[in-house]
Amino acid sequence: MTTEQIPAFGVRFKVQIDDVELGLFTSCEGLGCQVVLEQRQEGGNNGYVWQLPSRITYSTVKLTRPLTKDTEKVARWIAGLANGVRRTTAQITAMTTDGTTVARWGLLDVVPVRWNGPNVTSGAAGVLTETIEIAHHGFLDTARS
């Protein structure tokens, strides 16, 4: 097995929205898409239903991490939405703990959907986490970006 085929363990996800780096996240869920199919039945052909692709939909991407100083970057980005939502591009880079890039995804027309800060309760010990969820309208060719 070559080094390019070894699975990545201890992956972190670096997130960049246009020129703003939001930092590293420990979890990335929802990178994906689905082709919506329309079914058409042909008269006289009872043994076959046409499956016609009609559109592609993209799921929202949910990023989670422990609370860090980078939380301020997310807060500034979210606060900037008060002046109007502007669709941006994003780069999500999966990296190993030593900084080696494993994979990269470019997202088109990104808008934030939700941000959840930490739930703070007195007396409870644990890691404070934050989650940001973003929507997008497709993937960019990262080889050219």
Side-chain angles (χ1 to χ4, degrees):
M1 184 179 285
T2 68
T3 57
E4 293 172 353
Q5 296 172 326
I6 297 173
F9 295 102
V11 174
R12 301 288 186 253
F13 300 92
K14 182 172 86 171
V15 177
Q16 183 171 339
I17 306 292
D18 282 343
D19 296 329
V20 178
E21 276 199 31
L22 298 182
L24 297 173
F25 290 79
T26 55
S27 169
C28 178
E29 302 173 36
L31 275 173
C33 59
Q34 179 178 346
V35 175
V36 178
L37 298 176
E38 293 182 11
Q39 295 185 350
R40 297 287 185 243
Q41 299 174 0
E42 184 176 351
N45 187 356
N46 296 331
Y48 188 78
V49 176
W50 290 95
Q51 302 281 342
L52 305 173
S54 62
R55 69 188 56 88
I56 190 166
T57 59
Y58 300 94
S59 54
T60 59
V61 179
K62 183 177 171 182
L63 300 147
T64 306
R65 68 175 167 200
L67 203 62
T68 67
K69 191 79 168 148
D70 286 335
T71 296
E72 295 173 6
K73 295 176 182 177
V74 173
R76 276 193 298 275
W77 181 51
I78 298 291
L81 298 175
N83 299 327
V85 176
R86 186 177 63 85
R87 294 184 180 273
T88 59
T89 59
Q91 287 281 334
I92 299 175
T93 305
M95 302 181 332
T96 60
T97 53
D98 67 358
T100 304
T101 297
V102 177
R104 182 177 294 131
W105 300 271
L107 305 178
L108 179 66
D109 290 340
V110 172
V111 291
V113 174
R114 177 178 295 118
W115 175 77
N116 291 324
N119 292 324
V120 181
T121 57
S122 64
V127 177
L128 299 177
T129 61
E130 70 171 325
T131 302
I132 187 166
E133 191 171 344
I134 57 176
H136 65 99
H137 284 117
F139 293 97
L140 297 169
D141 183 359
T142 56
R144 288 187 263 158
S145 53

